Amino acid sequence: NAGVTQTPKFQVLKTGQSMTLQCAQDMNHNSMYWYRQDPGMGLRLIYYSASEGTTDKGEVPNGYNVSRLNKREFSLRLESAAPSQTSVYFCASSVETAYGYTFGSGTRLTVV
Amino acid sequence: AQSVTQLGSHVSVSEGALVLLRCNYSSSVPPYLFWYVQYPNQGLQLLLKYTSAATLVKGINGFEAEFKKSETSFHLTKPSAHMRDAAEYFCAVSDMSNSGYALNFGKGTSLLVTP
């Protein structure tokens, strides 16, 4: 039972480069989420997808785009990476918020 | 939007001592509340949740939390700390103002357990 799978686990980008973080879940969950974690800041919501075909902005969406490719997959794209986007990125999914989230193991991104 | 405040970014206890991690929430309606634990270099794992059933909620690894509406609190406790409890703990509240009821997380409390 894989749960939530994130790729890659580590990435170093140069300022201005683009990349896509991949997330896939195999639990038939309706909702998926992208958070970033920074020291002393907790987790902040970037984007979420309440159901297949819908996406909405969270607290810190600037500089990011998302795609809910199908029910399983929810990708996060950085079009032009900036050092301020150096962070650990977590994808999560849930069948319904009341049941809590299942988190992936994270992607550690460094922008130099 | 609903939010949580975790009091104390670092808490240190001795092995065998009581663990108390504090969380206060802001919400005008009964929220869903959660505690998550994060071990080093790992994702977050659900410890326990409150979803308007029993106010005293028991979770994994001997942790429990009590929902107190009058105090808008959801503090996490464990009677006797173990070395393996050393981790980062996050309180979270469901945000009813967005369509996905996405969770808003506190800034976290790092628990240190000393021998």
Side-chain angles (χ1 to χ4, degrees):
Chain A
N1 188 2
V4 178
T5 302
Q6 291 184 237
T7 55
K9 294 190 182 302
F10 300 93
Q11 184 71 48
V12 178
L13 288 179
K14 293 182 178 179
T15 297
Q17 287 185 318
S18 62
M19 78 162 295
T20 299
L21 281 63
Q22 307 287 351
C23 175
Q25 52 91 8
D26 62 1
M27 297 169 287
N28 201 36
H29 285 175
N30 296 319
S31 302
M32 299 186 73
Y33 311 84
W34 277 105
Y35 286 84
R36 60 177 289 174
Q37 182 180 25
D38 302 290
M41 300 294 291
L43 280 79
R44 293 180 291 170
L45 181 65
I46 305 172
Y47 271 93
Y48 66 96
S49 172
S51 60
E52 185 178 357
T54 68
T55 61
D56 285 287
K57 296 178 179 179
E59 179 186 356
V60 289
N62 290 345
Y64 305 95
N65 285 301
V66 290
S67 296
R68 183 75 182 267
L69 304 171
N70 47 55
K71 193 170 187 179
R72 291 186 64 250
E73 299 173 285
F74 188 40
S75 62
L76 179 70
R77 182 163 179 83
L78 286 71
E79 291 291 351
S80 179
S84 60
Q85 294 178 304
T86 293
S87 187
V88 181
Y89 292 85
F90 286 101
C91 178
S93 70
S94 70
V95 61
E96 185 180 311
T97 298
Y99 293 93
Y101 290 178
T102 300
F103 279 87
S105 58
T107 295
R108 188 173 296 273
L109 175 67
T110 302
V111 183
V112 298
Chain B
Q2 284 81 7
S3 64
V4 293
T5 301
Q6 292 184 241
L7 301 177
S9 58
H10 295 84
V11 170
S12 180
V13 300
S14 300
E15 193 173 18
L18 171 72
V19 176
L20 171 61
L21 303 182
R22 300 178 187 273
C23 174
N24 288 89
Y25 67 91
S26 67
S27 177
S28 58
V29 297
Y32 298 150
L33 290 160
F34 305 82
W35 276 100
Y36 284 84
V37 60
Q38 183 181 33
Y39 299 103
N41 300 313
Q42 295 187 25
L44 279 73
Q45 179 182 2
L46 181 65
L47 269 179
L48 50 80
K49 61 186 178 185
Y50 168 77
T51 57
S52 74
T55 56
L56 181 62
V57 181
K58 295 187 183 298
I60 61 172
N61 301 339
F63 284 93
E64 63 181 38
E66 186 172 7
F67 174 74
K68 291 187 176 181
K69 185 177 180 180
S70 61
E71 299 177 8
T72 60
S73 68
F74 190 56
H75 301 331
L76 182 70
T77 60
K78 182 173 180 177
S80 178
H82 293 271
M83 298 296 291
R84 63 176 177 266
D85 295 327
E88 187 90 16
Y89 291 81
F90 293 94
C91 182
V93 64
S94 54
D95 187 347
M96 306 298 192
S97 67
N98 68 58
S99 61
Y101 289 6
L103 297 185
N104 289 332
F105 286 82
K107 295 185 177 182
T109 297
S110 179
L111 177 65
L112 174 66
V113 182
T114 58

